[in-house]
Amino acid sequence: AHEIKNPLTPMKLSIQHLQRAIDSGSPHVKELSERMAATLIEQIDQLSKIAADFSQFANIGNIKPEVVDLEQVLRSLAGLYSSDGRLSLDLAAEAVDSKIFADKTQINRLFTNLIKNAIEASHDNEMINVWLKVMRRDDQLLVSVTDEGSGVPAEMRKKIFSPNFTTKSSGTGLGLAICRAIVEKANGSIWFETDEGKGTTFFVTFPALS
């Protein structure tokens, strides 16, 4: 409820301000309307994201497992960012069979969240570098997502996978909680290593199919 109220307040204030301008016959109503429209669209997008996050979290147990090729999923996601000239997203994959048994939609969501977090953690850098690796470790497949961000402060490390925990000024704080739930539903593990001021690596393991 708190997260929904946050966008609603500026939306209400914007509409009230525009209404007063119209009632007073302000000569700048057109310009004001354009600014207000941009604000409303931004806040509606935020509400949509909040709704999507809560929907994902509520439905995390409704899985439809199938054979998923991790390398293929990561290559597809990396391709989505290939047009961003400020971003270098490097994928290194060992020559191994990278198939697991999991819900493909949720696996896409998992790595989309981890990649977005890596990019956001590095937003102050002139050039954003993110590294993805797929490796075989005995009967497990290990995927790592590494950034060059500011790292996770020591006081936040124990809470990072908790629902409603976020380091951002807005958002639900469900991103990494959703990631952990997705991994656990696929019988995997997730953890991270961080060096404050230098970056963070998230690791995810899944049972390999072969």
Side-chain angles (χ1 to χ4, degrees):
H2 175 72
E3 293 302 333
I4 290 170
K5 285 179 183 177
N6 282 345
L8 287 177
T9 300
M11 290 171 75
K12 182 179 179 180
L13 291 173
S14 294
I15 293 169
Q16 288 174 335
H17 184 40
L18 179 59
Q19 197 170 35
R20 285 194 297 270
I22 292 170
D23 291 343
S24 65
S26 169
H28 306 295
V29 168
K30 185 176 184 297
E31 293 87 343
L32 186 60
S33 298
E34 290 173 352
R35 289 203 305 273
M36 296 304 174
T39 299
L40 290 173
I41 289 169
E42 182 180 340
Q43 298 304 325
I44 289 168
D45 285 345
Q46 180 63 19
L47 282 170
S48 178
K49 184 182 183 306
I50 289 169
D53 280 356
F54 280 111
S55 176
Q56 287 177 21
F57 196 64
N59 290 296
I60 210 75
N62 299 329
I63 60 172
K64 296 179 180 178
E66 60 182 292
V67 176
V68 179
D69 189 321
L70 282 178
E71 182 181 348
Q72 190 178 74
V73 168
L74 293 170
R75 287 201 183 281
S76 177
L77 290 174
L80 295 176
Y81 294 97
S82 59
S83 62
D84 189 339
R86 189 173 165 238
L87 171 65
S88 170
L89 207 163
D90 181 71
L91 171 60
E94 293 179 355
V96 296
D97 189 331
S98 59
K99 293 184 179 66
I100 63 170
F101 194 61
D103 186 301
K104 187 173 184 178
T105 299
Q106 291 196 0
I107 295 300
N108 265 289
R109 186 176 297 147
L110 162 69
F111 289 111
T112 297
N113 282 350
L114 291 178
I115 291 169
K116 281 177 65 180
N117 281 355
I119 292 170
E120 289 172 3
S122 311
H123 73 278
D124 289 335
N125 299 355
E126 186 174 335
M127 184 68 187
I128 296 173
N129 295 298
V130 176
W131 292 270
L132 309 175
K133 290 183 181 178
V134 184
M135 301 159 275
R136 180 72 180 245
R137 295 293 180 267
D138 299 323
D139 60 347
Q140 300 283 309
L141 285 167
L142 171 65
V143 180
S144 63
V145 182
T146 303
D147 65 59
E148 291 181 315
S150 55
V152 181
E155 66 274 13
M156 296 181 179
R157 292 171 191 172
K158 290 184 179 179
K159 307 174 188 174
I160 200 166
F161 291 111
S162 301
N164 301 322
F165 175 76
T166 179
T167 59
K168 303 168 191 173
S169 58
S170 63
T172 59
L174 290 176
L176 285 172
I178 289 172
C179 287
R180 182 173 67 176
I182 289 171
V183 172
E184 290 176 349
K185 287 292 179 184
N187 298 313
S189 301
I190 183 170
W191 72 96
F192 68 94
E193 294 176 2
T194 189
D195 189 346
E196 200 164 345
K198 294 184 179 179
T200 301
T201 299
F202 278 87
F203 298 94
V204 183
T205 61
F206 298 103
L209 271 187
S210 59

